[in-house]
Amino acid sequence: MTATAAPDLDRTVDDVARRAADAFDELSRTAPAVRAEGLRAAAAALADHADELVAIAQEETGLAEARLRGELKRTGVQLRLFANVVADGAYLDVRLDEADPDFVLGPRPDLRRSLWPVGPVLNFAASNFPFAFSVAGGDTAAALAAGCPVIVKAHPGHPLLSERVAELVSAALTGAGLPEATLQLVTSQDAGIALVEHPAVRAAAFTGSQRVGQLLAARTAARPDPIPFFGELGSVNPVLVSPEALRERSGDLLAGYVASVSGSAGQLCTKPGFLLVPVGTEYDDVVVTAAAQVPEHRLLNPSIADGYERRVGQVLGVDGVRVVHDGGFRRDADGQAWVTPTFVAVPLDLLRSAGPVLLDEVFGPFSVIVEYPDGTDLGAAVAELFPGNLTLTLHLGSGETEGEWASLVARLGRHAGRILLGGWPTGVAVTPAMQHGGPWPATTTDGTSVGTAAIGRFLRGVAFQDAPQELLPPPLRDENPWDVPRTVAPRGESSLW
Amino acid sequence: MTATAAPDLDRTVDDVARRAADAFDELSRTAPAVRAEGLRAAAAALADHADELVAIAQEETGLAEARLRGELKRTGVQLRLFANVVADGAYLDVRLDEADPDFVLGPRPDLRRSLWPVGPVLNFAASNFPFAFSVAGGDTAAALAAGCPVIVKAHPGHPLLSERVAELVSAALTGAGLPEATLQLVTSQDAGIALVEHPAVRAAAFTGSQRVGQLLAARTAARPDPIPFFGELGSVNPVLVSPEALRERSGDLLAGYVASVSGSAGQLCTKPGFLLVPVGTEYDDVVVTAAAQVPEHRLLNPSIADGYERRVGQVLGVDGVRVVHDGGFRRDADGQAWVTPTFVAVPLDLLRSAGPVLLDEVFGPFSVIVEYPDGTDLGAAVAELFPGNLTLTLHLGSGETEGEWASLVARLGRHAGRILLGGWPTGVAVTPAMQHGGPWPATTTDGTSVGTAAIGRFLRGVAFQDAPQELLPPPLRDENPWDVPRTVAPRGESSLW
């Protein structure tokens, strides 16, 4: 089913894949200015229909209007940011080796390398960001910027919104001169799985559960020609608090924590799942007071509600888990689940002995306060209990910037893609320096799915050797018609090595 | 078994892995100047022992002295080239977002991102380049440059050379101030396979057969925490010749072809496995004359000899395959196999109907001349028959630089990492713009294993948010003590989007 045509359930997966491959022929040859214009047109189309889109999204996801308006704006900014990346051309990583008859290893040919789009990309949309990680979200923007046609597998949590966004964006892209099947949408799970195995699909991106992600990763790996699979699968985002930080600002810290856990009903990949505080910290009053003020929030969909109910039940069933604030869980007449945040507390040792039942992610407004004894090696605790995260946050006292703290920060860098010194992980800036990806199970590879570096996942290197000017792609020609930045290895340089 | 200690068969895999993890602690914090000095010291140690090393290599591999001296020099240049990459620091891809209270999506934090070493790397050495793709070869140099300790699984084809190189390089690295277990060697296949699954190993690199590569790839994918696997598995490197090119220079072309197939007894990953010429081309005389002048050459080892004999036998057994020159195959009293090159010819259609028996790589001095009919769409033929290669070479006539030829070149770029316009693929320059990697089965990922871009395979992004200066890694500090190039996203820029 394509975005621009009326639904046609008979259209085969093969047809969608073939259309994507045909689009790639043309799209991979478009000038950057044309692709950038397409991305900007897509952003404008979303902004022009903000009221309509936000209304559909509210109905389908239960997320608050202000949050959805912010997310839609972010989605447009993301598309425009990638337009800038395309226009700039640094992402092509152009390298030119001048031919060198005196090269230290014998005559060196003229070599010119740049990055090329990998081909059609299959993008599995997420449920929790119906704009920013869905049809026109980060993975789509990055792949289109790279020059790859995108087939989006819509998330069943917001089907009407997915259709409408695909329709608007597809029209905007073709209106800007990009090929017709640059963006296509499929809705059935069977189609998504079949496409993972289709020869025309050259990479897949996914944001969702570890279980489904592992299943899809296994299928891409088992293809006769394995393709890269970029999965963002889950993260518990521990927040570590030093004794001194607590002494300085425990009230603000604990209130900030509750707010970060509660926003969007905790249905965020960077929600802090664990807060590590020194044994003896008094947190009950602030947490309970703050949590009691959080308004009830609908969970995204019945599947997420079921998972939340099950996981919370598992954690509460572990001996030694103390409930600090029970946020409850109720279903309305429509079968939707409504919650406020729940907080529990455990001693550090219990995490070690209980294992996955406590350590695995609980997706929703739930978090665990962990009391660590004096003298705990926090770096070792993270390595043992939380080895792979999108984020790790460390709250230190104002004087704690040296020695063991510096060494701790360096060790934390091995276990997350983003290290925050203060603040909360639940805002993810869309910028050149963002890293949204980390060691397994946070992501399946070391790429990022937010920020401009995300384009790198959909590119591959191709070098031309001794090609005449006329046969080179534009960014590799002497005249550099696209005016992209290039690094030159000059003739004669090897004498300096 | 480590390189610096006497062989100790009882030392466990776990011990080797633990030592690598310990070394990583220290190595990941070394200043670039120290790591660069280590790489240069390793290069110097190899050069200082050239006579000894080449003699061992000749005995163990049967490769010619001149070839081995060239390869050793190349290996040293490769190490020095990566020393320059480390010292330069551009590979860190440092990105700084200035904090921006007026950012279009709300206040933006201070974000600073660079690339970090992934951790200990397991490197399976190849048989056919006992220096350049072995213990101190490209994968090792790239991983060390990135700041990753390396565990090399030695290739059984040159065990003494592997030990000696590891000993020399390890001593040079530690002499330059790098940690003791920066480079370790294991020799047993069981150890190699166990290490692929060891939690401390964070990436694996492999150069070898498709069969073994697929086995190792499956094991890395099946880990509880999958790790990246960079395999270079096989390539047939088709060479396409236009009718006009043949009319202009058929003698030189055919002689060059025979030479490219014959060098190092064809035991090169970029050996041209197929030469596509127009039906009616007269090639027999030149090919037979040139092939008859190639001296007999020993194959690397009995395993490669067995594979060569088997594959050649399979191809010769296909109806319709015509032998142009039979290079023979004999075993000496020591069980070593000796060969000169064999050439066969087939019509293009036979490739289609025979399938893998003709299309799969024959590792050794064997190549297939393919006669294509007038009007053949060469781009379509490559897509169908040779979809994934390290290289594709196109020989055109002097006037053939436009229209269909330009479009053919663009299509070839999808099926190989390096496109040559003229020349032969069997020289692989070690430079910034080299790409040695291509679509499956050439490599398992889209990285390169030759050239400076190879370092990217062993790096991952880490961003710091709102960190005080003292807690930032050196390349992210305002003062930029390592003087690395950085890209800054300035405050206020989003108003321009």
Side-chain angles (χ1 to χ4, degrees), chain A residues 475-488:
Chain A
L476 301 185
R477 291 183 199 150
D478 288 347
E479 65 191 18
N480 192 7
W482 294 351
D483 195 26
V484 301
R486 318 199 283 190
T487 307
V488 179

Side-chain angles (χ1 to χ4, degrees), chain B residues 256-395:
Chain B
Y257 165 61
V258 171
S260 185
V261 170
S262 307
S264 299
Q267 299 166 114
L268 303 176
C269 34
T270 55
K271 178 206 74 179
F274 295 90
L275 180 78
L276 279 73
V277 296
V279 164
T281 304
E282 290 180 10
Y283 49 80
D284 279 62
D285 284 356
V286 179
V287 169
V288 170
T289 306
Q293 288 164 13
V294 177
E296 205 179 37
H297 196 295
R298 202 189 101 186
L299 292 179
L300 284 161
N301 58 59
S303 161
I304 282 183
D306 290 347
Y308 181 72
E309 192 177 20
R310 182 176 46 78
R311 281 291 292 128
V312 171
Q314 288 171 347
V315 173
L316 296 184
V318 174
D319 263 1
V321 170
R322 181 175 71 85
V323 175
V324 176
H325 178 81
D326 185 347
F329 181 98
R330 73 169 178 90
R331 287 188 201 269
D332 65 18
D334 298 331
Q336 299 289 4
W338 294 79
V339 292
T340 66
T342 291
F343 293 88
V344 301
V346 301
L348 181 62
D349 272 351
L350 187 60
L351 285 188
R352 291 204 177 89
S353 56
V357 62
L358 287 190
L359 293 172
D360 283 358
E361 185 177 8
V362 179
F363 194 74
F366 180 88
S367 189
V368 179
I369 298 166
V370 182
E371 303 187 8
Y372 66 83
D374 196 33
T376 296
D377 179 341
L378 289 173
V382 166
E384 179 191 352
L385 301 169
F386 315 113
N389 294 280
L390 292 171
T391 71
L392 274 161
T393 303
L394 182 57
H395 283 271

